[in-house]
Amino acid sequence: QVQLVESGGALVQPGESLRLSCAASGNILSIYAMNWYRQAPGKQRELVAVITSDGSTNYANSVKGRFTLSRDNAANTGYLQMNSLKPDDTAVYYCNADIILVTREVLDTWGQGTQVTVSS
């Protein structure tokens, strides 16, 4: 019925930038907050950033000042701009959103994840 697809992950060097995308598709009426999580090897999944439907944002302290969220509501797409990347940012990044379908059903939806590797 609905799908979230992340893209944009890559291998980059410390200090470089990446932009991740999260595109929602399906019978979507609207999307509440779009959340980005990450999970590094051997670690628990952690919440990185949140953007609400009205554009308000919140960031984990570890990424504040380096990562920036945005969203295109018309395109049902969210973006995570990551600057000044560090090796500690290496993880699989997941997009998560509460999606309201045209049927008014609300689905807690996850993407498949995209790998970000920061290494020299």
Side-chain angles (χ1 to χ4, degrees):
Q1 275 184 311
V2 65
Q3 190 177 17
L4 282 177
V5 177
E6 303 100 331
S7 61
L11 169 63
V12 297
Q13 295 190 346
E16 293 187 338
S17 299
L18 279 177
R19 189 175 83 153
L20 305 184
S21 299
C22 172
S25 61
N27 296 321
I28 299 170
L29 180 62
S30 63
I31 301 175
Y32 284 144
M34 297 186 81
N35 312 309
W36 287 90
Y37 289 79
R38 67 185 181 187
Q39 187 166 20
K43 295 186 177 180
Q44 289 189 332
R45 190 172 296 189
E46 64 170 340
L47 180 61
V48 174
V50 176
I51 183 167
T52 63
S53 56
D54 65 358
S56 299
T57 56
N58 199 12
Y59 301 93
N61 288 335
S62 59
V63 305
K64 201 171 292 184
R66 300 188 297 121
F67 290 12
T68 304
L69 282 166
S70 60
R71 61 190 286 173
D72 181 343
N73 290 332
N76 292 322
T77 300
Y79 303 96
L80 181 65
Q81 177 68 41
M82 306 186 296
N83 298 330
S84 303
L85 283 162
K86 305 175 181 179
D88 283 348
D89 295 318
T90 296
V92 178
Y93 284 71
Y94 297 91
C95 180
N96 163 254
D98 284 333
I99 297 177
I100 307 170
L101 304 182
V102 294
T103 58
R104 299 300 195 270
E105 182 182 5
V106 180
L107 294 181
D108 179 15
T109 308
W110 288 84
Q112 83 288 351
T114 186
Q115 177 70 49
V116 172
T117 302
V118 185
S119 175
S120 55

